[in-house]
Amino acid sequence: MTTVRRAVLTLPAAPLGPDNPLPALRAPAGAAAHAVDPRTLAELPRDMARGIGRDPLRSLLPAPVRDGYGRERTPADLDTIVIENDRLRVTVLPGLGGRVHSLHHKPTGRELLYRNPVFQPAAFALNGAWFSGGVEWNIGATGHTTLSCSPLHAATVRAPDGGPMLRLWEWERLRDLPFQVDLWLPEGSDFLYVGVRIRNPHERTAPVYWWSNIAVPEDRRVLAPADAAWHHGYERGLSRVPVPVTEDGTDRTYPLNSTHAADWFYDLPEGRRRWIAALDADGTGLVQTSTDPLRGRKLFVWGTGRGGRRWQEWLTEPGTPGYAEIQAGLARTQLEHLELAAGAEFSWLEAYGPIAADPATALGEDWSAARADVERSLSGALPRAAVDAAYTAWREGAADLAPEEVLAAGSGWGALEVLRGGHDLPGTPFPESTLGPDQEPWRELLRTGVLPAPVNGAAHLIPPLVASPWRDMLETAPADPTTEYQLGIAQWHAGDRAQAVRSWERGLKEAGTRWPLLYCLAVADREDGHPERAADHFTEAFADHEATAGGAEAATGPGTTTAGADDDEGRALVATALGREALDALLAVDRPDRARALWHRLPDSARRRGAFRLIEVRLLLAERRPDEARAVFDAGFEVADLREGAEVLGELWQRFTDELLPDAYEFRMRPS
């Protein structure tokens, strides 16, 4: 019989740490890595170009930036949920985005996924913290979901065959949409079934993005039913190339044949079964297949170059085998978004399981024969008609069933949205009991029309809400500094930047604690092309926080909660975040004297962090002290939240030496 049970997984883990206390007013820092240059965009098929240009993120709001983690790992217990039948054992991490950590095939004793032996956050999610390995569910916008390291709601439900099923669900905040992921193992099945549904409960069309990312060992061959792929590298191009052998004569279906990191989006013909497989030298491995709505398939490779190797090591521990990703998504490429009509849904079924093909054929040079052999093996193990039937049974008989035993709790944001909008979402309840301190001020605004004033001694800002109904409520609420601060954030997110600035300036006139509003105005200055004024505002925000930090209202500001009265750690967190912004702004306008003065006012704990050692290098170079800048590199430092595609370490190194950049600092993901 299939069982679903709680368990604990112990891994060396780096703590996630606190979220950044500043509102995420800017677009994702890694957006450039996924961009397409305008000339290429003009040459693409019209529907693809429309999908790429559809509703790009103006900011990360209302999600917080998660950059409080480090790189010191100690053993930690992670809560898991295990789904098991006599063939498969599936380990899920409900507190970390619902990630499938392991897919163990019991008859052969094989692990079908790349299973990371550590938990090490890195800055790959749209909002920061992400980790590698397993199967992740990416919803929101191009990139790794903001929920990568966040808890999801989890409960048991009756599966279509009457056995137990695990349901994961949450409210995705970037696009303001609820979704669910149902996982079950039919008795005796070698395949994990996954039913996914995204709903749009609003009266407007919503942009939708989904990719299921599957980590597999990189010493595999990746096969999919396609003769061509859209190749995207870190040079911002997107071109259609032949599969498996590209114009340079290289078979790119073997991840280790690529030197640099790249995406290969397979161009699957209409009408063909959707699948992708990763096979080892004996022709066995993992296959993923789905119903037709999950259109796209992709291979991501790190490459064998120094940058790719360094990233692989960065995400786990030295000596660990590398991995590649095979992926499945709603669009042809990850650069596109689809439109979901008001009141409509996207739903589909995926299946994950072992595959065994003839190695001489599946790994041979005849691409058509290789694909046909894998497809025959898949049809024998799991016919296409069986997947379609399983989807129908799930969607019509199980997707709307109420959860039975609650196994884990997610956030209270869905409950707040249901309370505000009165949404009816069968199968995915968001009860008021899940509301917490973060939602309470907004619940009060909903109930009374007034956003509560901050309480003395508050230590962190109210998490913002930016959807149009909340913005409308803020516009009619009493115009105190708290409300003006939050209203400006919502207006900024909506693209009404001039009005946002006016709201922040109005709030500043009456605010007792000014730094949150000054920070917002500084970001506006920088985004609007006024770097000198931005530097002044960032510095003023840092000074205001510094001046108030010793008083009874330390860390209090417009729109703050009542948690953490005189929390030294909270004050240092704000000082660190503001100091990093101010130093960056001052160096951008060549003001090293003011930057050095601010540097000495930072908390000692901040100056020891790798991100500030990097700023120190920039500061020393601005002060024309290259030998001391070189000494910082020689002493060694690690920037825990270094972004995907970051090249700053190599650029700084080249400013004081022609020597080869040491491996420890080589994170470049494109050709020199």
Side-chain angles (χ1 to χ4, degrees):
M1 291 181 61
T2 298
T3 60
V4 176
R5 57 183 171 84
R6 291 188 183 94
V8 173
L9 174 69
T10 302
L11 290 178
L16 277 170
D19 292 345
N20 192 302
L22 307 178
L25 298 176
R26 283 166 287 187
H34 303 289
V36 177
D37 66 82
R39 181 178 301 178
T40 299
L41 198 63
E43 298 171 352
L44 296 176
R46 185 172 298 178
D47 62 330
M48 181 181 286
R50 280 200 304 268
I52 292 173
R54 180 172 289 127
D55 294 297
L57 292 178
R58 296 189 183 99
S59 74
L60 279 171
L61 294 166
V65 172
R66 312 203 70 179
D67 60 1
Y69 53 87
R71 294 192 52 80
E72 294 184 7
R73 298 188 289 265
T74 57
D77 292 339
L78 304 179
D79 291 332
T80 69
I81 299 172
V82 177
I83 315 166
E84 189 167 10
N85 66 4
D86 61 337
R87 311 289 294 176
L88 287 174
R89 182 168 61 248
V90 184
T91 304
V92 179
L93 302 172
L96 295 168
R99 182 81 59 100
V100 176
H101 174 73
S102 170
L103 188 61
H104 178 78
H105 188 233
K106 296 162 74 171
T108 60
R110 297 173 71 105
E111 174 58 51
L112 301 180
L113 304 173
Y114 166 77
R115 184 175 56 191
N116 197 333
V118 305
F119 172 68
Q120 177 56 64
F124 276 72
L126 288 163
N127 63 334
W130 170 87
F131 64 106
S132 65
V135 183
E136 58 178 308
W137 319 112
N138 287 306
I139 182 174
T142 300
H144 298 280
T145 177
T146 61
L147 296 168
S148 292
C149 292
S150 296
L152 303 189
H153 299 281
T156 57
V157 187
R158 288 297 98 189
D161 62 357
M165 177 170 73
L166 171 63
R167 173 163 298 157
L168 306 167
W169 74 99
E170 234 325 339
W171 196 282
E172 200 285 314
R173 300 180 69 204
L174 289 184
R175 301 304 193 182
D176 209 19
L177 301 174
F179 71 98
Q180 71 188 79
V181 180
D182 289 354
L183 304 96
W184 76 99
L185 290 171
E187 188 173 350
S189 174
D190 277 318
F191 283 83
L192 170 68
Y193 287 179
V194 181
V196 183
R197 176 166 60 171
I198 305 169
R199 287 185 275 198
N200 180 7
H202 308 296
E203 297 179 351
R204 54 171 173 78
T205 299
V208 169
Y209 171 93
W210 181 281
W211 281 79
S212 303
N213 287 15
I214 309 142
V216 294
E218 65 181 352
D219 58 343
R220 299 289 189 266
R221 188 184 203 186
V222 175
L223 299 97
D227 292 309
W230 293 93
H231 169 244
H232 180 258
Y234 287 78
E235 303 86 9
R236 302 183 66 179
L238 186 64
S239 57
R240 197 170 186 268
V241 298
V243 172
V245 179
T246 52
E247 290 90 340
D248 63 358
T250 304
D251 187 340
R252 300 292 179 178
T253 61
Y254 290 90
L256 292 174
N257 282 352
S258 292
T259 305
H260 301 286
D263 302 324
W264 309 88
F265 299 102
Y266 295 112
D267 198 357
L268 275 60
E270 292 296 332
R272 293 293 300 272
R273 185 177 185 181
R274 315 295 195 194
W275 59 269
I276 189 167
L279 306 182
D280 60 17
D282 63 5
T284 62
L286 171 75
V287 65
Q288 187 269 3
T289 187
S290 72
T291 51
D292 289 348
L294 202 65
R295 176 183 185 181
R297 292 298 186 275
K298 171 192 164 182
L299 165 65
F300 167 75
V301 300
W302 284 106
T304 58
R306 291 205 307 148
R309 294 300 92 191
R310 182 64 177 118
W311 274 117
Q312 294 254 34
E313 182 183 71
W314 184 257
L315 296 172
T316 178
E317 58 186 4
T320 301
Y323 76 96
E325 288 181 359
I326 58 175
Q327 305 179 12
L330 285 173
R332 281 170 295 187
T333 73
Q334 285 181 327
L335 312 178
E336 301 166 76
H337 292 70
L338 303 184
E339 287 187 337
L340 182 57
E345 70 173 49
F346 287 137
S347 61
W348 64 91
L349 185 126
E350 305 179 43
Y352 297 77
I355 189 76
D358 173 26
T361 304
L363 307 181
E365 295 183 3
D366 187 334
W367 178 242
S368 295
R371 288 180 356 218
D373 188 66
V374 173
E375 195 148 359
R376 278 193 298 270
S377 297
L378 175 59
S379 296
L382 186 65
R384 182 177 185 176
V387 175
D388 292 338
Y391 166 76
T392 300
W394 166 74
R395 183 61 194 85
E396 296 180 356
D400 286 345
L401 291 179
E404 297 176 358
E405 181 187 0
V406 174
L407 301 176
S411 77
W413 296 114
L416 186 67
E417 292 301 329
V418 169
L419 192 64
R420 180 201 59 76
H423 305 303
D424 182 23
L425 300 169
T428 55
F430 293 96
E432 287 191 47
S433 59
T434 61
L435 292 169
D438 284 346
Q439 293 82 42
E440 192 55 41
W442 297 102
R443 186 184 192 184
E444 187 70 9
L445 174 65
L446 185 63
R447 188 178 67 85
T448 67
V450 179
L451 192 66
V455 176
N456 289 347
H460 63 278
L461 300 176
I462 293 175
L465 285 176
V466 296
S468 56
W470 296 106
R471 187 173 72 248
D472 292 344
M473 281 184 268
L474 289 168
E475 287 176 344
T476 58
D480 58 23
T482 300
T483 303
E484 296 286 15
Y485 169 75
Q486 292 288 351
L487 175 58
I489 291 174
Q491 290 165 333
W492 178 269
H493 176 75
D496 192 354
R497 296 191 167 187
Q499 189 58 54
V501 169
R502 285 192 286 270
S503 295
W504 292 326
E505 288 175 340
R506 284 196 302 268
L508 195 61
K509 293 177 182 177
E510 304 293 334
T513 301
R514 297 158 51 86
W515 66 262
L517 292 152
L518 289 166
Y519 165 77
C520 293
L521 290 169
V523 173
D525 289 332
R526 183 155 60 187
E527 296 293 300
D528 290 341
H530 304 293
E532 297 276 353
R533 199 164 67 200
D536 290 339
H537 271 141
F538 278 126
T539 306
E540 190 179 353
F542 181 86
D544 182 75
H545 177 265
E546 185 180 44
T548 60
E553 298 183 9
T556 326
T560 53
T561 65
T562 57
D566 285 312
D567 183 6
D568 290 341
E569 184 178 345
R571 290 194 292 272
L573 182 66
V574 174
T576 298
L578 288 174
R580 188 172 180 180
E581 295 280 2
L583 287 167
D584 183 70
L586 289 168
L587 291 173
V589 295
D590 195 24
R591 295 183 183 175
D593 292 345
R594 292 184 61 185
R596 177 60 68 184
L598 192 148
W599 173 268
H600 289 303
R601 290 149 58 193
L602 288 169
D604 291 340
S605 59
R607 288 197 297 266
R608 291 193 296 268
R609 291 178 56 181
F612 284 87
R613 300 300 304 281
L614 179 61
I615 290 175
E616 185 180 14
V617 171
R618 294 173 58 201
L619 179 54
L620 289 166
L621 288 171
E623 294 170 329
R624 294 177 174 80
R625 298 157 66 185
D627 292 343
E628 292 172 72
R630 169 65 185 263
V632 176
F633 269 87
D634 291 343
F637 64 94
E638 292 183 325
V639 183
D641 60 340
L642 195 70
R643 292 295 312 191
E644 175 185 7
E647 300 182 353
V648 62
L649 292 171
E651 292 167 354
L652 291 174
W653 177 263
Q654 290 171 350
R655 289 181 59 183
F656 52 74
T657 181
D658 293 329
E659 297 174 23
L660 182 68
L661 182 67
D663 287 345
Y665 303 115
E666 180 56 275
F667 290 93
R668 290 172 289 194
M669 299 175 70
R670 61 176 178 169
S672 300

